[in-house]
Amino acid sequence: TRARLFQMLCQSGEKSDAVADIDQLVAVQLISETQLSSFQVSQLKSSTEQLSAQRYSQLFVLYALFWLAMGAVVVAGFAVFRRRVTRPIADMVAKLPHLAQGEFDVRMEVQRQDEIGALANAFNNMATSLSAVTVSRDRFVHETAARLATERKNLFLLQRYRLIMDGAGAGIWDWDVVNQTVDFSSRWGAMRGYADEEITGTLDEWSGGIHPDDSPRVFAAVKAHFDGETPVFEEEYRVRCKDGAWLWVRDRGKLLRNDEGHVVRMAGT
C-alpha cells in the first residue's frame, strides 16, 4: 500500500511530503482495519456465545427428556411387575387362610405358562387334594361312627340276649368268621363241665368236640346255611364233656353278611 501510494504521489509531483503522507495514510488504514477487525471479533464472540448458550439449552432439554423417559420406563416396569408378580402372590397369600379354615373350593384364576402360572396350578392342585382328603376323612368318620353305633347296639342286644339265655339255662356262642374266633358264654362251658378260664375261644374247641358220627351232618348243615339254602342253622348232635361223657345238645344259629354278601359272623345258642 505504501509503495502504491508513493508511486501515485511521485507521479503527481509532490515528492517532498510523499513519505509523511504515505505513513499517515497507512496509519489511518491500519486503524480502520483494526477497528473493523475488533468489531468482527466482538460479533463473532457474541455469535459464539449465543451458539454455546443455545447448545447448552438443547443439551439440558435432551438430558431432561432422557431422565423423564427413564423414569417413565421404571414406573411402567414396576406397574408390570406388580400386575404380573406381586398381585398374584398377594392373592394367593390372601386365600391361604381360607384353606386353613377348611374352605377348599378357593382357586387361583391365573392362567399363564410361566413360573407364576405353575405356582397357581400347584395351589389349585393342593386345594383339590385337600378337598378330596377331607371328603374321604368325613366319609371315614361317618362310616366309623355308624359302625361303632351299630356295634354298640349289637353288643347291647347280645348282652341282653345272653342274660335271657343264661336265665333260661342255654349256652351262647358268637362266631367271628373273618378272624376264626368264637366267643362262648359261661353257660356254654358249664354245660360241658369247663370253667370260664378253661375256654380258649377257638373254632376247634367247638368242632373238635362233636361226636364223629354227627360231625358230617353238622358241618353239612353249616355249609347249607352259608350257601343260603336254609334260613337258619339248626341241628341236634352229641358233644364231648370234660369228663369224657357225651351230651346231646340242640344247636340253633343264624349268620350275618356284609354289604358285599360275604359271611362275617354267625351266632346262636
Side-chain angles (χ1 to χ4, degrees):
T1 303
R2 291 181 63 188
R4 189 170 57 251
L5 292 175
F6 180 76
Q7 184 179 3
M8 291 173 60
L9 292 173
C10 287
Q11 291 176 358
S12 62
E14 298 178 357
K15 297 180 180 179
S16 58
D17 298 329
V19 176
D21 293 338
I22 290 173
D23 292 337
Q24 184 178 2
L25 290 174
V26 171
V28 171
Q29 184 177 1
L30 289 175
I31 292 172
S32 299
E33 290 178 355
T34 302
Q35 291 177 351
L36 179 61
S37 300
S38 299
F39 176 73
Q40 291 177 347
V41 168
S42 64
Q43 285 186 338
L44 179 61
K45 183 177 180 181
S46 177
S47 299
T48 303
E49 291 177 353
Q50 291 178 357
L51 289 175
S52 298
Q54 292 177 358
R55 182 172 296 176
Y56 284 128
S57 177
Q58 292 175 354
L59 289 175
F60 177 79
V61 171
L62 290 176
Y63 187 77
L65 291 176
F66 171 76
W67 282 110
L68 286 176
M70 290 297 296
V73 170
V74 171
V75 172
F78 179 77
V80 172
F81 178 81
R82 185 175 183 275
R83 178 174 58 85
R84 295 185 59 84
V85 178
T86 307
R87 188 177 299 170
I89 293 178
D91 186 27
M92 186 181 303
V93 172
K95 291 180 178 180
L96 286 176
H98 295 279
L99 291 180
Q101 296 174 2
E103 300 176 7
F104 302 117
D105 56 341
V106 294
R107 294 292 185 274
M108 292 292 297
E109 298 180 357
V110 179
Q111 301 297 330
R112 289 156 55 179
Q113 302 300 323
D114 55 2
E115 291 79 2
I116 298 298
L119 185 62
N121 291 329
F123 179 89
N124 294 337
N125 293 335
M126 179 183 66
T128 302
S129 300
L130 289 175
S131 178
V133 169
T134 303
V135 171
S136 300
R137 182 202 63 188
D138 294 341
R139 182 169 60 250
F140 173 77
V141 171
H142 177 73
E143 293 176 353
T144 302
R147 184 170 62 253
L148 290 176
T150 302
E151 290 180 356
R152 284 195 298 266
K153 181 179 179 181
N154 293 336
L155 180 61
F156 173 76
L157 294 176
L158 180 60
Q159 290 174 346
R160 186 174 65 177
Y161 184 69
R162 281 185 173 182
L163 182 61
I164 295 174
M165 291 297 103
D166 288 342
I172 300 175
W173 51 270
D174 185 6
W175 178 14
D176 185 351
V177 179
V178 176
N179 299 314
Q180 289 297 305
T181 58
V182 186
D183 182 18
F184 299 107
S185 67
S186 299
R187 178 57 183 164
W188 186 93
M191 292 171 63
R192 293 159 173 78
Y194 294 98
D196 289 346
E197 59 272 12
E198 295 177 303
I199 304 298
T200 60
T202 62
L203 185 61
D204 291 338
E205 192 170 22
W206 167 75
S207 60
I210 301 176
H211 196 282
D213 295 339
D214 299 335
S215 58
R217 174 172 48 85
V218 174
F219 295 152
V222 172
K223 183 177 183 303
H225 186 50
F226 269 57
D227 294 340
E229 299 175 2
T230 57
V232 295
F233 161 75
E234 186 173 7
E235 282 292 332
E236 292 184 2
Y237 55 92
R238 288 164 289 181
V239 296
R240 185 172 54 244
C241 298
K242 182 178 180 180
D243 58 4
W246 294 98
L247 175 69
W248 279 93
V249 296
R250 183 182 182 184
D251 208 351
R252 180 183 177 90
K254 188 174 179 62
L255 57 79
L256 176 66
R257 301 181 186 272
N258 59 12
D259 296 337
E260 288 77 21
H262 302 297
V263 179
V264 295
R265 186 176 296 275
M266 184 174 176
T269 61

